[in-house]
Amino acid sequence: MTTGAAASGDGTGTAGGRARGRAELAAFLRAMRARLRPEDVGLPDTGRRRTPGLRRQEVAQLAAVSIDWYIRLEQGRVGMPGTAVLDALAQALRLSPAEHRHLHIVARGQAPAAAHTPARVGGSLRVLLDGMPLLPAYVLDFRLDILAHNAAAEALFGPDFGSGDADNLARVLFLATPIRAMQLDWVRVARETVGNLRANLARHRDDPRLRALIAELREHSPEFAGWWADHTVKERGHGSKRLLHPVVGELAVCYDALAAPGGADQHIVAVTPADPPAERALRTLVAEHSAALARPATRPAVVVA
């Protein structure tokens, strides 16, 4: 078990504390290595061994680190390893989540960043979205993927909102889409979006899909690439903006992002009218959308010979 002193890093600032930390790390690595057999990690068994467990060079090979460096690490003669190296060692030694956390605490005095567990939009959130028939609302995750939306959001942003090329809020803002064309305050809203993505990347820096999205936008949007390079960080969760809708014209709206419960790093974004004309425009759009859904689909006439 991890002691309170190890978890808080007490004593790691002194020479004696650092030496104790290196010795504890070395002992932990040796113990974890000794419990494994070659077949446990997909290596061939070459016969009897003088000591139980994997050889040091085998652990180094599995973790893609220098054999000499790993030997010195087990001897307590290496400084603080990086988090990526510790993660590689944890995978090579088949550590459990608790053991992985302990490895980071012993080596660096702090636990690793918690892995994000994707979650589907809960039933109660779905009910909440549908319970706001006049207010466009949708659920975003930390990648700004649009996970769910209500009919009012579809009425405002179009039938493709939340699907296909319009399944991510950053993508529809920076690439050539009808939703981008609606944004009369595009520069401000787009810069806020870049800042939100940079803040989210700090919390989920190992998420491959988030990194792929950022790479895509840097490649295809000069504006995104320029603003990403200035390291702007913003976490604005509310504000106002103007939209130019092809049916009802210009309307002023407010937006609020509310954190969803459950720790899934999801937010409910609600769009509300900023003035009476915008309220009338939203009512018109929602009513027309509902009427269109209620109309039966027309079928071609059947010609009987």
Side-chain angles (χ1 to χ4, degrees), residues 22-289:
R22 287 195 295 269
E24 185 176 354
L25 173 62
F28 180 68
L29 290 172
R30 290 194 299 268
M32 296 298 99
R33 177 169 60 85
R35 71 181 184 175
L36 290 174
R37 298 171 299 175
E39 55 267 34
D40 294 333
V41 295
L43 294 175
D45 187 355
T46 56
R48 179 174 296 182
R49 300 178 177 227
R50 290 184 299 173
T51 57
L54 297 179
R55 297 187 177 100
R56 287 169 172 169
Q57 57 264 37
E58 290 171 333
V59 176
Q61 173 189 342
L62 291 168
V65 298
S66 160
I67 295 174
D68 178 67
W69 179 87
Y70 183 75
I71 290 173
R72 289 186 289 114
L73 181 66
E74 275 205 9
Q75 293 172 343
R77 297 191 293 118
V78 173
M80 183 183 293
T83 57
V85 172
L86 292 175
D87 290 342
L89 289 172
Q91 183 175 358
L93 293 168
R94 304 300 192 264
L95 300 188
S96 68
E99 291 163 345
H100 185 183
R101 183 176 185 275
H102 181 75
L103 175 66
H104 276 259
I105 291 174
V106 170
R108 299 182 59 84
Q110 59 188 23
H116 174 70
T117 302
R120 300 178 63 182
V121 174
S124 58
L125 289 186
R126 183 73 262 179
V127 172
L128 181 61
L129 289 178
D130 294 337
M132 298 188 290
L134 297 179
L135 298 179
Y138 47 93
V139 177
L140 298 176
D141 65 7
F142 65 88
R143 306 180 190 99
L144 304 190
D145 283 343
I146 303 166
L147 305 180
H149 64 279
N150 63 7
E154 193 171 301
L156 177 61
F157 296 118
D160 296 331
F161 183 69
S163 63
D165 293 335
D167 65 347
N168 179 277
L169 194 64
R171 189 177 287 115
V172 300
L173 282 175
F174 281 96
L175 305 183
T177 67
I179 294 177
R180 170 173 175 157
M182 291 173 60
Q183 308 294 321
L184 295 179
D185 301 309
W186 182 84
V187 171
R188 175 174 58 81
V189 173
R191 291 207 65 158
E192 289 177 5
T193 301
V194 175
N196 273 320
L197 280 177
R198 182 170 288 282
N200 293 349
L201 181 62
R203 295 196 305 273
H204 303 282
R205 61 179 65 253
D206 296 324
D207 185 78
R209 286 179 54 196
L210 178 57
R211 288 193 170 276
L213 171 69
I214 292 168
E216 174 192 353
L217 295 176
R218 292 178 69 182
E219 178 181 358
H220 296 291
S221 170
E223 300 98 336
F224 185 94
W227 293 332
W228 186 261
D230 70 14
H231 289 263
T232 297
V233 177
K234 292 180 180 293
E235 292 190 275
R236 188 173 185 181
H238 63 90
S240 60
K241 61 182 179 180
R242 296 170 301 139
L243 301 175
L244 182 61
H245 194 276
V247 175
V248 297
E250 183 175 332
L251 63 161
V253 298
C254 300
Y255 57 90
D256 292 275
L258 310 174
D265 211 348
Q266 296 174 354
H267 287 78
I268 308 168
V269 180
V271 179
T272 55
D275 53 31
E279 182 177 5
R280 290 193 293 272
L282 281 177
R283 286 181 178 273
T284 297
L285 290 174
V286 171
E288 291 184 353
H289 180 69

